[in-house]
Amino acid sequence: MVPLGPAALTRPASDGRYGSMGAVPTVARWWSSRTDPQRIDLYTRSSYYSTLVFVPVLLLFSVSPDWATSSTWQPLVLLGSSVVTTAACLVLTRRGFRDRTAGPDRPALLVALVAGLVTVLAALAATGAGPAPAAPWVAGLVSAAVLLALSVTVPTRPLVAGAAVTGVLAGAVTAAEGGPPATAVVVGASIGVAVGFFVTAFRFSVWILDVVLEMERSRAVQAQLAVAEERLRFARDLHDVMGRNLSAIAVKSQLAAELVRRGRDGAAEELADISRVAEESLREVRDVVRGYRRTDLPGELAGARSVLRAAGVGVTVTGEEDAVALPEPVQAALGWVVREAVTNVLRHSRASWCSVELHAVGGEAELRVANDGARGTETTWGNGLTGLAERLAAAGGRLSAGPDGDRFVLAATVPVGVPA
């Protein structure tokens, strides 16, 4: 036995003998970078594929204790046909996940059924003469694999009917092996019920996946509709402001041109009126743009609640009554904080809840936005938080942001009465 020195004791375990843990953070980042619908989709697919891959192994282990012959062709046929069945079922499953509205792939289904029948016959031949408890379960496993592949696209009722047919097939195999009728009925019923529960459980997971994907699409459509509605609102306001004035400018321009052409008086007055209407239009457009860009704190709090709920984030907002009483400069400064905080929650976290708290005590207004989407202990600020801190500093306020346990907290404080 060779003694270990201090260098050996302090040497890391990633020297090649025990492998390296460097891939674990990569896998964790790969998993955390996916959305919840993508995770559910990945989990559902992997459940199907891993279950189907183990079908040949389960068949061999279930039949091997009943082998009554020294010949090797029956086990080889059993293994080959079960592998073909599994491959055809994998093709059915893959194409079903690709397009669940197209129905099962008929050539792959035919191959799976024929190879499954060969598997059952090979199991009967491999078990020899006399009753073989494993033979009915081979029929059940093969039928379960085919029904599992079909469950991606086929509704529940046909799958339950297929499970009943599986029970009848298993009972027939038991009777063909020489088992008593009562035993055939019990075995067939047991296998049929087991296959029915097994297949409907997987079908339920596909239904959950469809519901989650539909909700994700609904949220995307809702966000697009909100953007379109805001564009229409702005276009409507701009049209209402500019339509009448531009029409007046066009009419007065034509009138001034006609007066000049005919050499009559009044053209100068019309041109002066055109200048006045143009200046008025410019002022009204600036008012529209200013109102569009203005940050109203009560409106920002209501918008934050609506946007976060639309994104599936549970949100609580407190202190809205204090927001109404704050001076307009303070509302503007804290309104930018709400916008940036909500943007960070939606873009840079996987939060399931978010709380927005506003307090105005002791001559200061404090806004705290917390969520449970903190990742690690990274505290580097991006351009958004940096610009927000500069905006608050100009108003005499301060900003802090960073993880607090399993939460991420953004806090902003602005003195009441200091211009923003």
Side-chain angles (χ1 to χ4, degrees):
M1 183 174 180
V2 180
L4 297 177
L9 292 175
T10 58
R11 183 175 56 197
S14 60
D15 57 356
R17 291 195 300 170
Y18 301 104
S20 174
M21 296 296 290
V24 175
T26 302
V27 174
R29 286 195 299 269
W30 171 79
W31 178 257
S32 63
S33 64
R34 295 178 176 270
T35 62
D36 289 336
Q38 289 175 340
R39 293 178 184 178
I40 296 176
D41 180 72
L42 181 61
Y43 170 78
T44 305
R45 290 173 185 261
S46 61
S47 299
Y48 270 83
Y49 296 149
S50 59
T51 303
L52 290 173
V53 165
F54 276 102
V55 168
V57 180
L58 294 175
L59 287 174
L60 288 179
F61 274 105
S62 62
V63 175
S64 58
D66 295 330
W67 285 344
T69 176
S70 59
S71 177
T72 58
W73 70 268
Q74 295 99 337
L76 290 178
V77 171
L78 176 65
L79 177 62
S81 58
S82 63
V83 169
V84 173
T85 302
T86 299
C89 291
L90 288 173
V91 172
L92 276 172
T93 304
R94 184 171 179 271
R95 294 186 179 181
F97 276 115
R98 184 182 302 171
D99 185 6
R100 283 194 283 282
T101 62
D105 183 76
R106 293 184 178 180
L109 177 60
L110 180 62
V111 171
L113 293 175
V114 173
L117 179 61
V118 174
T119 302
V120 175
L121 296 177
L124 291 173
T127 54
W137 290 100
V138 170
L141 281 173
V142 172
S143 301
V146 176
L147 292 175
L148 177 64
L150 292 175
S151 65
V152 181
T153 56
V154 176
T156 303
R157 289 186 178 180
L159 296 176
V160 173
V165 173
T166 299
V168 174
L169 177 62
V173 171
T174 302
E177 287 287 316
T183 303
V185 172
V186 172
V187 171
S190 301
I191 293 178
V193 172
V195 172
F197 275 108
F198 174 76
V199 176
T200 52
F202 274 86
R203 177 61 190 171
F204 182 71
S205 66
V206 173
W207 177 79
I208 292 177
L209 175 61
D210 290 338
V211 171
V212 171
L213 293 178
E214 185 63 29
M215 290 179 62
E216 187 72 9
R217 286 191 291 267
S218 299
R219 290 173 182 171
V221 171
Q222 186 177 8
Q224 294 175 358
L225 289 176
V227 174
E229 183 179 358
E230 184 64 17
R231 289 177 177 174
L232 289 175
R233 186 191 71 81
F234 184 76
R236 183 174 60 250
D237 292 345
L238 193 61
H239 175 270
D240 293 342
V241 169
M242 296 299 297
R244 177 181 60 83
N245 291 340
L246 289 178
S247 299
I249 290 175
V251 172
K252 289 181 176 296
S253 299
Q254 295 174 0
L255 178 58
E258 189 66 24
L259 291 175
V260 171
R261 184 179 301 110
R262 296 184 179 184
R264 295 184 178 181
D265 299 333
E269 289 79 1
E270 294 296 336
L271 291 176
D273 202 11
I274 290 174
S275 177
R276 180 187 59 78
V277 174
E279 291 178 357
E280 181 181 351
S281 301
L282 180 60
R283 183 176 62 256
E284 291 180 351
V285 169
R286 287 174 177 172
D287 291 339
V288 170
V289 174
R290 187 181 302 110
Y292 184 75
R293 298 181 60 183
R294 183 178 57 198
T295 55
D296 176 67
L297 186 54
E300 291 295 334
L301 293 175
R305 181 190 294 108
S306 176
V307 170
L308 290 173
R309 286 180 178 174
V313 180
V315 57
T316 58
V317 179
T318 58
E320 291 181 274
E321 62 281 357
D322 295 334
V324 179
L326 292 176
E328 184 176 349
V330 178
Q331 290 193 31
L334 295 181
W336 287 107
V337 176
V338 174
R339 285 188 182 183
E340 180 65 22
V342 172
T343 301
N344 289 339
V345 170
L346 296 177
R347 291 185 178 179
H348 307 303
S349 76
R350 302 198 57 79
S352 61
W353 65 265
C354 178
S355 64
V356 183
E357 301 176 0
L358 176 65
H359 303 284
V361 180
E364 287 186 337
E366 181 182 9
L367 179 71
R368 290 175 60 87
V369 182
N371 67 86
D372 62 345
R375 294 182 178 178
T377 57
E378 185 67 28
T379 58
T380 303
W381 286 11
N383 293 330
L385 290 178
T386 302
L388 187 60
E390 294 174 353
R391 183 188 296 272
L392 291 177
R398 56 188 181 274
L399 177 72
S400 64
D404 182 12
D406 59 347
R407 305 184 306 165
F408 188 90
V409 179
L410 185 147
T413 304
V414 178
V416 176
V418 178

